[in-house]
Amino acid sequence: MAEDRFSFKEMCAEFDVTPRTLRYYEYIELLHPDREGRARYYGPRERARMKLILRGRKFGFQLEDIRQWLLIYEKEGTEAQMRAWVELADGQLAELDEQRKQMEEARVELQDLRDSVAGALTT
């Protein structure tokens, strides 16, 4: 049983997060470790949730969206969670497409300005 549980320090090391981050995820109820006195222990469920949280952050999801998505599983089950995930993913994909478009516009504008200034230096 003990090998299935990570300590607070092991959890930080395993997921390369700071203690502050891990405490915050607990504070906003993304994680619910077992407590024994002041010690916290994270089982397979909490480690799986942490993987989902970090993946969600990588994709640009807000922590509140991740929290709500995790709650759907607890309250409504897997299928409802999967449906919610598709909706969230569709919204995030649209957001990322918009960000890409804005980045490309900024890049083109910067390149044009750079070329203009470089051209002025050579004349």
Side-chain angles (χ1 to χ4, degrees):
M1 174 84 173
E3 64 274 355
D4 289 347
R5 300 185 336 158
F6 282 14
S7 68
F8 185 85
K9 186 176 179 179
E10 290 169 331
M11 190 75 163
C12 289
E14 176 72 17
F15 292 100
D16 194 26
V17 296
T18 64
R20 182 177 181 182
T21 297
L22 195 53
R23 282 189 210 99
Y24 184 68
Y25 289 172
E26 291 174 27
Y27 176 75
I28 62 172
E29 300 179 345
L30 288 171
L31 298 172
H32 306 281
D34 294 330
R35 293 181 184 265
E36 293 176 13
R38 293 186 55 159
R40 299 176 178 109
Y41 295 98
Y42 304 83
R45 177 183 180 272
E46 297 311 306
R47 292 196 314 272
R49 288 172 68 96
M50 187 67 168
K51 287 177 187 175
L52 293 172
I53 292 164
L54 295 177
R55 184 178 287 170
R57 294 299 289 152
K58 177 182 175 183
F59 295 148
F61 290 105
Q62 299 295 313
L63 286 174
E64 181 57 23
D65 290 335
I66 295 168
R67 192 177 76 74
Q68 291 298 322
W69 181 70
L70 291 171
L71 282 173
I72 290 170
Y73 175 77
E74 292 174 10
K75 294 180 179 187
E76 301 176 41
T78 303
E79 185 174 337
Q81 186 185 43
M82 289 168 63
R83 289 183 193 284
W85 170 250
V86 170
E87 281 185 42
L88 282 171
D90 287 346
Q92 190 62 17
L93 286 166
E95 177 67 27
L96 291 172
D97 286 342
E98 180 61 28
Q99 288 175 6
R100 182 185 328 171
K101 178 183 165 204
Q102 290 174 4
M103 291 287 289
E104 184 56 30
E105 289 171 359
R107 188 191 179 295
V108 167
E109 186 176 335
L110 178 60
Q111 184 70 51
D112 289 347
L113 182 57
R114 181 247 176 244
D115 293 348
S116 173
V117 171
L121 288 172
T122 58
T123 56

